[in-house]
Amino acid sequence: MRTPLIAGNWKMNTESSSAVALARDIAQRAAEATDVELLVCPPSIYLTLVRDALGKAAVGLGAQNMSCQPKGAFTGEISAAMLTDIGAQYVILGHSERRHVFGETDENVNGKTHAALAAGLTPIVCVGELLEDRETGRTAEVIRSQFDGSLAGVTAEQIESVVLAYEPVWAIGTGKVATPEQAEEVHADLRKQLTERYNGELAEKIRILYGGSVKPDNAAELLGQANVDGALIGGASLKVEDFMGIALAGEAVGQA
Ligand code: PGA
């Protein structure tokens, strides 16, 4: 019922030529995975190049961050309207690197979420605990508070256009993937929170992605969990073989 979303977060990688080459390679192979939705999130400066390289292939375009402000004197920032203007459909918000390297708070993420929704962009709102949170048994508490803060004021009508991503910080770029059981436990709790805040019917419609060291060889097990509806992929999204390998694993478990 929920089409898996396989999203590549290219982070601050690629140059114009390699971004275009990667986009072309993905576009060429996109038709192999028809039961999942593919998305690439290149650096903002290459969004239009990647859009053109994707052409008519069924691959979505997303940004990695944006401002909560609509326009004006905000040097270095990019607005939601600019993203829709160049054809982006998605934006990743509150990625752990934004939260922990650049100090973004739940309040910042919430402001951006509202700005994205107002502009018609689909926000991928990320939450995730630090290793010390997990080791001290605070995972559920941290995730609940990020969920509440990041989604404050989001209405039932709006939540249908939101994608959630659970990314344990200790699993990002470390090669230490969460076990399928660890991922499923948090995903199920996120769905429970959606049910409590909105209702069960809406909660069933919302996609919750897992992110953190997803690779072709661990994707099937993760994506096979009942509440894991896709992947947010960093390192492995930079190689077409790996990205498509994950997409095909998602497709295979969907059909099982
Ligand atoms: P990773 O990154 O796949 O390289 O661990 C995931 C992410 O940051 O979205």
Side-chain angles (χ1 to χ4, degrees):
M1 175 186 129
R2 297 182 292 267
T3 304
L5 177 61
I6 307 297
N9 173 9
W10 296 2
K11 307 193 180 181
M12 200 171 73
N13 293 299
T14 68
E15 294 174 351
S16 55
S17 56
S18 51
V20 165
L22 180 56
R24 279 202 189 125
D25 288 347
I26 292 170
Q28 250 173 24
R29 293 195 50 190
E32 291 172 28
T34 46
D35 293 341
V36 297
E37 186 183 337
L38 301 176
L39 170 69
V40 292
C41 302
S44 292
I45 196 166
Y46 301 139
L47 278 166
T48 50
L49 281 176
V50 166
R51 174 199 65 196
D52 294 346
L54 292 171
K56 293 203 183 327
V59 182
L61 186 69
Q64 300 171 13
N65 182 32
M66 54 166 246
S67 171
C68 64
Q69 301 291 345
K71 67 176 189 173
F74 301 101
T75 302
E77 294 290 289
I78 290 175
S79 72
M82 291 172 187
L83 293 176
T84 54
D85 181 39
I86 58 94
Q89 303 104 22
Y90 285 87
V91 61
I92 300 170
L93 297 178
H95 186 276
S96 82
E97 285 143 24
R98 298 300 321 168
R99 289 178 185 270
H100 299 294
V101 183
F102 297 101
E104 280 189 19
T105 62
D106 288 331
E107 202 183 343
N108 297 143
V109 179
N110 184 242
K112 293 178 183 202
T113 301
H114 283 284
L117 289 167
L121 279 171
T122 299
I124 300 176
V125 178
C126 305
V127 295
E129 83 286 4
L130 295 165
L131 184 58
E132 66 197 62
D133 298 325
R134 180 157 283 272
E135 285 176 342
T136 52
R138 294 184 61 240
T139 299
E141 183 191 327
V142 168
I143 302 293
R144 282 190 167 242
S145 126
Q146 289 179 347
F147 173 92
D148 283 339
S150 305
L151 297 177
V154 173
T155 65
E157 202 185 316
Q158 290 173 317
I159 196 72
E160 282 203 60
S161 313
V162 173
V163 173
L164 293 178
Y166 167 55
E167 298 205 307
V169 179
W170 47 271
I172 297 177
T174 57
K176 266 200 213 168
V177 64
T179 65
E181 295 73 28
Q182 284 173 325
E184 174 61 16
E185 188 182 12
V186 175
H187 283 234
D189 196 43
L190 280 168
R191 195 152 336 264
K192 190 162 161 235
Q193 288 172 78
L194 287 166
T195 304
E196 284 165 11
R197 166 115 57 120
Y198 302 100
N199 59 63
E201 200 185 321
L202 263 181
E204 284 302 314
K205 290 187 186 166
I206 295 169
R207 290 183 290 189
I208 308 174
L209 315 183
Y210 168 80
S213 297
V214 180
K215 308 281 179 232
D217 62 1
N218 60 29
E221 249 196 319
L222 287 161
L223 292 166
Q225 300 302 307
N227 288 291
V228 177
D229 311 312
L232 185 51
I233 311 153
S237 72
L238 295 167
K239 288 193 188 131
V240 67
E241 272 309 314
D242 289 351
F243 184 64
M244 289 308 298
I246 294 166
L248 293 170
E251 180 142 295
V253 291
Q255 285 162 353

